[in-house]
């Protein structure tokens, strides 16, 4: 077997890593080694000594189970990932996790594993590059000028998100996106011809992609030529379909599903070494001459130095633009934006604006759009309902790359994963929107956003049975609790325009995770607040009303149900009861406060507590205790006017009053 020893180094490290861990996927790394060697050594612009270099090419391993391929590439290229790290593959607290994890391993651009999402992330990265280039590049100064490459497999293409993301990429004319398909014909169940009979090439051509068919994935010259040719197409993304043999080099398991997701076995590893002509039996050993040929530090340093010189000239010619680009890539917010924003919020508090919180969100975007040029986002075909289009925003134009409003069509999953990719790229503050019910379509991308700690804002409107006549298919019940139970996700369910604005401010300032804004269709009454109460909204919960300093009962509400708690509370107060009403728009933020503040809002001595929310009730027992009561949903909704539904399901001020009165007795 004639092999490329530089690519074989990837195969050796990959099969050794999987074998030592006794867990993993050796097949794809061995099959894609030749493609990876060409891309990482000869084409891709990257600097191992500075993995965060702004103008680097992005690389996404969408078929994330092939993680040993990426770890081998990072190690061989000169990134801060030593041989001992490779030996600790899939072990607790190692930097070489089972699937690539963002922030854990230098050089890993995104966490991949759930198939198809890496492709969608890559679409987002390529879109971010195109938008930034349109906003900042000047004639003779292409300071934003890089490619996004992604490897993907059969599984990525079978997942529905690949259709959503690929269709958007073609529509947006992302000419600097190059996807390389490991067309080995094998998945866990065996030969995919029994369940994957799509004409992939025609499918992607129909999306508006450039497609190269039947490329020999083990011919380095052919691979280099086709990737180089792909880069000449500037108005279409490219799919390169590489014919490969899974487990290439393994004499008995190569080309078979047995090498997809299990170690080869020590005997087969030894046989593979012989078949590849690898002269060294010691596991994880790579000779110095191969390391030297692989080392990308000198080449990468020169590429970055050349770009630094270009940027220095750009900075002299366009100092304001250079400073703005730096600020945005650093993730910093503009100076004094918060003061200007707070002035508007105070004005709304004075004016007592009565609107639905979805409308209040749009009003907030009208303000933020003028203060934050990095703001970019859109809706999954629900702009008139989600109210995410703000005054003065321009639709994204694929021909020019200008405009910052994105129309994603009915693609909730693709939208969210694309926004994750944009957030990962940097330079933008991203937001997306749909009905809260349909966050279910985007659920896994939301989880990935939380897992990676990305600043991404999701606007989920029509947040309860209050949407009314569309009925139970559109009325969220369990979705709010599901979001709140997601680690590192922050939710806000504001009760009026002021709380909505404060929720947006919190989302903008948060840098270590996503925020979900849960917004109403129906109008919400404005609440009276002192300056102190206004400042306490940012703490996630605060005392909105009380009839005495030492309450005998506490009523907790969120969103549209705060007014119900307030009405019940005032009725109790009129009867001489010591009552406190707490608005808790964000339980997660409240939990981050110190013990003294939490005790001040919800004193442990007060056992009589009632929570009210038009959502699944179980979540609230953590705040009311087993002896408390929760007014909310215990079933799916019904079709009908909102006021009739609230009455039918017993989510009323009278029910809150009755529950509280029974606890006081």
């Amino acid at each position: 077997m004639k092999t490329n020893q530089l690519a074989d180094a990837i195969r050796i490290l990959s099969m050794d890593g999987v074998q030592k861990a006794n867990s993993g996927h050796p097949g794809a790394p061995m099959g894609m080694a030749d493609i990876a060697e060409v891309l990482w050594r000869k084409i891709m612009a990257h600097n191992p000594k500075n993995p965060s270099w702004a103008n680097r090419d992005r690389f996404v391993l969408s078929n994330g189970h092939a993680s040993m391929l990426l770890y081998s590439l990072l190690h061989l290229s000169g990134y801060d990932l030593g041989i001992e790290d490779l030996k600790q593959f899939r072990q607790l607290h190692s930097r070489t996790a089972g699937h690539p994890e963002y922030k854990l391993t230098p050089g890993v651009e995104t966490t991949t594993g759930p198939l198809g999402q890496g492709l969608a992330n890559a679409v987002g990265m390529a879109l971010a590059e195109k938008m930034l280039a349109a906003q900042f590049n000047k004639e003779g100064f292409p300071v934003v000028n890089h490619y996004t490459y992604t490897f993907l497999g059969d599984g990525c293409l079978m997942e529905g998100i690949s259709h959503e993301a690929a269709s958007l990429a073609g529509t947006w004319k992302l000419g600097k996106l190059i996807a390389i398909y490991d067309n080995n014909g094998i998945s866990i169940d065996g030969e995919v011809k029994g369940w994957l009979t799509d004409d992939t090439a025609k499918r992607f051509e129909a999306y508006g992609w450039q497609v190269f068919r039947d490329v020999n994935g083990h011919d380095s010259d052919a691979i280099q030529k086709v990737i180089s040719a792909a880069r000449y197409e500037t108005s279409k993304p490219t799919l390169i379909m590489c014919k490969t043999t899974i487990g290439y080099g393994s004499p008995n398991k190569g080309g078979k599903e047995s090498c997809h997701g299990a170690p080869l076995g020590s005997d087969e590893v030894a046989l593979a070494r012989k078949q590849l002509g690898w002269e060294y039996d010691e596991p994880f050993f790579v000779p110095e001459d191969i390391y030297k040929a692989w080392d990308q530090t000198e080449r990468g340093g020169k590429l970055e130095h050349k770009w630094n010189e270009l940027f220095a000239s750009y900075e002299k010619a366009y100092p304001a633009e250079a400073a703005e680009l730096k600020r945005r890539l650093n993730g910093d917010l503009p100076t004094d934006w918060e003061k200007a924003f707070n002035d508007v919020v105070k004005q709304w508090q004075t004016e007592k604006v009565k609107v639905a919180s979805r409308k209040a969100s749009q009003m907030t975007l009208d303000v933020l759009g003028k203060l934050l040029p990095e703001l970019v986002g859109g809706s999954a075909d629900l702009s008139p309902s989600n109210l995410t289009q703000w005054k003065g925003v321009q639709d994204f134009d694929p021909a020019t790359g200008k405009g910052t409003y994105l129309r994603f069509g009915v693609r909730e999953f693709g939208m969210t994963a694309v926004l994750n990719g944009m957030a990962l790229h940097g330079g933008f503050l991203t937001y997306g929107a749909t009905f809260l019910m349909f966050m279910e379509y985007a659920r896994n991308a939301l989880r990935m956003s939380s897992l990676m700690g990305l600043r991404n804002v999701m606007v989920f409107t029509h947040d309860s049975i209050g949407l009314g006549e569309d009925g139970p298919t559109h009325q969220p019940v369990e979705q709010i609790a599901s979001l709140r139970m997601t680690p590192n996700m922050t939710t806000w369910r504001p009760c009026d325009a002021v709380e909505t604005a404060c929720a947006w401010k919190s989302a903008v300032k948060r840098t270590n995770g996503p925020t979900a804004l849960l917004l109403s269709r129906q109008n919400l009454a404005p609440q009276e607040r002192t300056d102190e109460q206004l400042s306490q909204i940012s703490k996630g919960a605060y005392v909105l009303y009380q009839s005495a300093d030492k309450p005998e009962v506490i009523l907790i509400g969120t969103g549209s149900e705060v007014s119900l708690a307030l009405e019940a509370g005032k009725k109790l107060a009129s009867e001489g009861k010591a009552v406190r009403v707490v608005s808790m728009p964000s339980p997660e933020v409240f939990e981050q406060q110190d013990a003294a503040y939490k005790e001040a809002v919800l004193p442990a001595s007060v056992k009589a507590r009632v929570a009210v929310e038009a959502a699944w009730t179980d979540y609230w027992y953590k705040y009311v205790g087993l002896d408390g009561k929760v007014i909310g949903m215990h079933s799916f909704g019904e079709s009908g006017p909102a006021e009739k539904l609230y009455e039918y399901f017993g989510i009323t001020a009278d029910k809150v009053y009755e529950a509280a009165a029974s606890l006081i007795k």
Side-chain angles (χ1 to χ4, degrees), residues 280-469:
Y280 313 97
D281 294 329
E282 181 184 347
F284 297 99
F285 177 78
V286 176
E288 196 58 38
D289 61 328
I290 290 182
Y291 270 125
K292 186 175 180 180
W294 258 107
D295 189 359
Q296 293 294 296
T297 56
E298 183 179 353
R299 172 175 169 267
K302 289 179 179 178
L303 289 170
E304 182 176 357
H305 179 71
K306 184 177 180 180
W307 181 83
N308 286 338
E309 289 181 331
L310 174 67
F311 192 84
S313 299
Y314 174 77
E315 198 165 19
K316 289 180 180 178
Y318 302 98
E321 289 85 348
E324 177 70 0
L325 180 56
K326 281 183 180 179
R327 177 190 70 77
R328 287 174 54 174
L329 290 176
N330 286 335
D332 299 328
L333 293 170
T335 304
D336 295 334
W337 79 273
E338 192 171 355
K339 181 182 181 301
F341 185 81
N342 288 342
D343 289 343
V344 174
V345 177
K346 289 178 180 178
Q347 180 182 343
W348 291 357
Q349 181 65 61
T350 302
E351 293 174 350
K352 299 179 181 179
V353 179
K354 183 178 182 179
V355 292
S357 51
R358 61 169 175 161
K359 178 60 180 176
S361 173
Q362 186 180 47
M363 293 162 57
T364 305
L365 283 167
D366 288 342
V367 177
L368 290 174
K370 298 173 183 177
L371 299 173
L372 305 175
E374 58 264 53
L375 189 66
V376 61
S379 173
D381 201 52
L382 290 169
S383 297
S385 294
N386 297 149
L387 302 182
T388 44
Q389 196 172 6
W390 46 273
K391 291 178 182 177
V393 70
Q394 298 296 313
D395 279 9
F396 173 70
D397 182 355
T400 64
K402 295 185 179 297
T404 55
Y405 192 75
L406 299 166
R407 299 185 186 273
F408 289 97
V410 189
R411 301 183 181 94
E412 297 88 355
F413 194 5
M415 170 184 71
T416 310
V418 165
L419 291 172
N420 286 348
M422 296 189 76
L424 286 159
H425 180 281
F428 292 102
L429 170 58
T430 56
Y431 72 94
T434 185
F435 290 169
L436 176 56
M437 182 65 244
F438 302 126
M439 79 88 185
E440 295 288 358
Y441 284 120
R443 188 73 182 84
N444 201 263
L446 290 169
R447 184 177 188 273
M448 297 304 291
S449 185
S450 298
L451 183 64
M452 288 188 275
L454 304 181
R455 181 169 64 178
N456 197 3
V457 186
M458 298 308 299
V459 178
F460 294 129
T461 69
H462 297 61
D463 67 345
S464 72
I465 57 171
L467 67 89
E469 292 83 353

Side-chain angles (χ1 to χ4, degrees), residues 51-52 56 70-71 74 80-81 93-97 99-112 125 420 423-425 448-456 488 510-514:
S52 60
R56 68 192 181 280
L70 180 51
Y71 299 146
L74 293 168
D80 179 23
L81 198 69
H93 302 315
S94 77
R95 297 200 297 167
T96 46
H99 291 79
E101 292 187 23
Y102 175 63
K103 293 183 180 177
L104 177 66
T105 313
V108 171
E109 300 281 4
T110 178
T111 300
T112 53
M125 292 175 187
N420 286 348
L424 286 159
H425 180 281
M448 297 304 291
S449 185
S450 298
L451 183 64
M452 288 188 275
L454 304 181
R455 181 169 64 178
N456 197 3
N488 202 36
R510 188 178 186 215
T511 59
N512 62 347

Side-chain angles (χ1 to χ4, degrees), residues 74-238:
L74 293 168
H75 170 70
L76 291 167
S77 297
Y79 286 77
D80 179 23
L81 198 69
I83 198 68
E84 291 302 318
D85 290 309
L86 270 59
K87 291 179 180 179
Q88 292 300 307
F89 177 54
R90 290 194 164 212
Q91 303 310 299
L92 184 63
H93 302 315
S94 77
R95 297 200 297 167
T96 46
H99 291 79
E101 292 187 23
Y102 175 63
K103 293 183 180 177
L104 177 66
T105 313
V108 171
E109 300 281 4
T110 178
T111 300
T112 53
L115 294 176
Q117 286 196 63
L119 171 60
N121 292 166
V123 171
M125 292 175 187
L127 177 61
E129 190 276 343
K130 183 169 184 171
M131 281 186 165
L132 280 177
Q135 292 176 17
F136 287 98
N137 286 356
K138 303 292 184 181
E139 186 174 352
F141 295 99
V143 291
V144 181
N145 181 24
H146 52 265
Y147 286 81
T148 302
Y149 298 95
T150 180
F151 285 180
L152 50 92
D154 294 302
C156 295
L157 294 181
M158 285 187 271
E159 289 286 0
I161 191 173
S162 71
H163 297 261
E164 298 182 25
S167 178
L168 287 169
T171 298
W172 291 334
K173 302 182 184 302
L174 301 180
K176 289 185 177 178
L177 173 63
I178 298 176
I180 302 177
Y181 170 28
D182 181 26
N183 188 13
N184 60 43
I186 297 292
S187 67
I188 292 176
D189 273 2
E191 295 186 22
V192 300
K193 62 184 180 182
W195 49 87
L196 180 59
T197 59
D198 308 1
D199 189 326
T200 300
K202 287 184 179 178
R203 173 187 153 194
F204 274 76
E205 285 171 345
Y207 292 144
W209 287 55
Q210 170 182 233
V211 178
F212 292 93
R213 297 168 168 81
D214 299 323
V215 178
N216 184 345
H218 303 297
D219 183 335
S220 298
D221 291 338
I223 295 163
Q224 185 170 358
K225 287 178 182 177
V226 76
I227 297 176
S228 298
R231 288 161 57 98
Y232 283 107
E233 174 56 68
T234 59
S235 63
K236 294 181 179 181
T238 296

Side-chain angles (χ1 to χ4, degrees), residues 27-83:
M30 296 173 73
M32 297 196 78
D34 297 295
I35 305 167
E37 183 269 327
V38 170
L39 179 64
W40 278 63
R41 284 188 64 250
K42 300 178 180 178
I43 296 175
M44 204 167 77
H46 62 115
N47 183 6
K49 295 304 180 185
N50 184 11
S52 60
W53 168 36
N55 202 49
R56 68 192 181 280
D57 288 339
R58 270 57 169 184
F59 175 80
V60 175
L61 186 71
S62 188
N63 47 343
H65 56 271
S67 54
M68 271 305 303
L69 170 66
L70 180 51
Y71 299 146
S72 300
L73 287 165
L74 293 168
H75 170 70
L76 291 167
S77 297
Y79 286 77
D80 179 23
L81 198 69
I83 198 68

